[in-house]
Amino acid sequence: MSLSRTNFEYIRSLLLRESAIVLDANKGYLVQARLMPIAQRRGLESIDQLIGQLQKQTNGRLVEEVVDAMTTNETSFFRDMTPFDELRQVVLPELFRRRASTRRLSIWCAACSTGQEPYSITMLLREYFSAYLDWDIYILGTDISSTALEQAKKGRYGELEMDRGLSRTHRGKYFRKEGSQWRISDECRSMVDFRSLNLVGNWPAFPQMDVILLRNVMVYFEQNTKKTVLHRMRKQMRPDGYMFLGGAETTMNIDDAFARVQCGGFSYYRVRQDRQDTSESIV
């Protein structure tokens, strides 16, 4: 049964209001595919009936279920690899040097989905920076999707997920086979603090960050939302911190307080300072 235009627009408005995600006007099929399972679990015959229930309870568990179902949780281990190369070769060595007096480091994966990104960072740290593991290293993974976070906290993945970006060496070293799935090692799991967080909602108190990974998120936001999120990110970063965006994302014409730093085949962003290191190529 097709979704009525009125009800499709209702879902678009709800998604924008609750998560700031902009749903394209041609994505009616996506709404049907993702919301029909919720309707069926509730014994309803159509998504239109589900939306009728939504209109009666404008907040609560059903709204959370719908927003959760409509969020995109595309991710993989060491996704796009180049950012992790830059972390290993440039960013982390520099931060370990700068933070030698405090021996503290904070990293935030701001849309961590099912956990592959923060776990990739734990593997990178254990593989290349083992001498610093006695530091106070805080890795925060947040996401709006409760379903994705539940899997992230468990650290359990199927074969298809394991085959996406994860080398055989990392698989054997940092995972254990449990039935048809693989579970991340306790050493890696204990390094990540997973929390539910809506980037356009209220943020709990947490430390200022040395590194923020806000990758492949802002493509779903309107311009004003991007400005708001980037402004808040800037306040959450240490003055000499680093921010990574997705390959198709930029701060240009959104927040001029950020400077783009080109490094090899990738770029990251830093808050503009009166003086920049001469070794950095600011674009």
Side-chain angles (χ1 to χ4, degrees):
M1 183 180 296
S2 61
L3 179 68
S4 72
R5 171 54 61 175
T6 299
N7 283 339
F8 173 68
E9 292 300 332
Y10 178 84
I11 292 297
R12 289 184 76 195
S13 298
L14 182 147
L15 197 59
L16 183 63
R17 181 183 74 242
E18 297 293 330
S19 67
I21 293 174
V22 178
L23 188 64
D24 291 344
N26 62 350
K27 292 295 179 68
Y29 70 92
L30 189 66
V31 172
Q32 293 200 157
R34 294 189 178 182
L35 297 192
M36 197 60 206
I38 298 177
Q40 291 172 340
R41 286 198 300 270
R42 291 175 173 264
L44 304 175
E45 295 181 357
S46 68
I47 297 176
D48 287 338
Q49 289 183 9
L50 176 69
I51 292 172
Q53 288 195 358
L54 273 172
Q55 291 170 332
K56 294 175 183 177
Q57 43 179 302
T58 56
N59 54 51
R61 178 57 189 158
L62 182 55
V63 172
E64 291 177 8
E65 280 189 66
V66 168
V67 173
D68 193 345
M70 290 305 303
T71 54
T72 299
N73 295 311
E74 171 63 23
T75 188
S76 62
F77 291 104
F78 296 98
R79 185 179 182 182
D80 302 326
M81 196 56 203
T82 308
F84 296 94
D85 288 338
E86 299 306 327
L87 282 170
R88 175 174 59 86
Q89 297 171 6
V90 178
V91 174
L92 289 175
E94 183 63 20
L95 283 172
F96 280 124
R97 181 183 68 80
R98 292 180 191 165
R99 305 294 185 257
S101 60
T102 62
R103 296 169 60 88
R104 292 180 180 174
L105 188 69
S106 297
I107 301 172
W108 180 17
C109 297
C112 71
S113 186
T114 46
Q116 285 92 323
E117 183 174 80
Y119 286 142
S120 295
I121 292 173
T122 68
M123 288 183 273
L124 185 150
L125 287 168
R126 304 193 77 85
E127 195 76 10
Y128 297 101
F129 301 97
S130 59
Y132 299 95
L133 292 179
D134 61 341
W135 280 34
D136 180 7
I137 299 177
Y138 178 63
I139 302 174
L140 174 65
T142 66
D143 203 273
I144 193 174
S145 170
S146 58
T147 302
L149 280 175
E150 183 178 355
Q151 181 180 351
K153 291 175 181 178
K154 292 177 180 177
R156 294 173 63 92
Y157 302 96
E159 287 290 345
L160 290 177
E161 293 167 308
M162 295 292 287
D163 285 339
R164 297 190 64 198
L166 194 66
S167 70
R168 291 288 169 178
T169 299
H170 284 121
R171 178 191 293 228
K173 199 169 184 178
Y174 299 108
F175 289 83
R176 185 176 67 188
K177 187 74 180 294
E178 292 185 347
S180 62
Q181 293 191 311
W182 294 78
R183 185 169 68 86
I184 192 81
S185 70
D186 291 340
E187 291 79 10
C188 289
R189 172 62 191 88
S190 64
M191 294 178 71
V192 186
D193 177 20
F194 288 107
R195 298 194 200 180
S196 176
L197 185 139
N198 185 341
L199 289 173
V200 297
N202 295 323
W203 293 5
F206 49 83
Q208 277 199 306
M209 296 292 162
D210 299 296
V211 180
I212 294 177
L213 293 96
L214 182 67
R215 303 174 62 214
N216 307 301
V217 181
M218 292 202 301
V219 292
Y220 300 105
F221 293 159
E222 292 180 320
Q223 190 80 348
N224 286 338
T225 303
K226 293 177 183 179
K227 290 181 179 180
T228 299
V229 171
L230 285 174
H231 176 78
R232 297 178 77 180
M233 287 293 170
R234 179 156 43 86
K235 299 299 182 183
Q236 196 62 48
M237 285 174 63
R238 293 193 182 279
D240 62 344
Y242 302 77
M243 182 175 70
F244 287 79
L245 301 180
E249 297 169 323
T250 181
T251 65
M252 188 178 299
N253 299 321
I254 303 172
D255 191 334
D256 293 336
F258 283 101
R260 178 172 174 257
V261 181
Q262 188 68 41
C263 189
F266 197 75
S267 59
Y268 51 79
Y269 296 82
R270 305 187 69 180
V271 176
R272 291 187 183 276
Q273 306 292 323
D274 291 336
R275 297 175 63 185
Q276 296 286 350
D277 295 339
T278 57
S279 60
E280 294 174 343
S281 172
I282 305 298
V283 179

